[in-house]
Amino acid sequence: VIGSTFAFSSILFSGDVNTRTLTIILKHLEESGLIDRKVFGEIPPRVEYSLTKKGEELKKSFTATSKLV
């Protein structure tokens, strides 16, 4: 996932979450500096999300921790 970008719709349809909840979660992750949000001036609007360096570091920590369990 590191270095990848994901569209809002692909995140929405990949899990069991509604639009409102996903929007709130993504907003918090962006405000925490864990993800970047890129808006494209297209019709219909397109938004992509990607991990920041801080998000990549956190993911590495989670991955390492999960290997211990």
Side-chain angles (χ1 to χ4, degrees):
V1 177
I2 294 175
S4 300
T5 58
F6 295 91
F8 181 88
S9 59
S10 68
I11 300 169
L12 181 63
F13 296 125
S14 69
D16 188 21
V17 63
N18 65 41
T19 304
R20 182 176 184 274
T21 302
L22 179 58
T23 301
I24 292 168
I25 292 168
L26 291 171
K27 182 177 180 180
H28 286 295
L29 290 172
E30 184 182 10
E31 289 172 352
S32 298
L34 297 173
I35 62 171
D36 280 325
R37 179 177 186 258
K38 184 174 182 181
V39 179
F40 296 86
E42 302 173 351
I43 303 214
R46 180 170 57 114
V47 179
E48 291 182 346
Y49 296 90
S50 59
L51 289 176
T52 62
K53 286 188 178 195
K54 183 177 176 182
E56 290 175 4
E57 291 172 11
L58 185 61
K59 182 179 181 199
K60 288 178 188 176
S61 296
F62 282 137
T63 302
T65 303
S66 69
K67 290 179 182 178
L68 298 174
V69 177

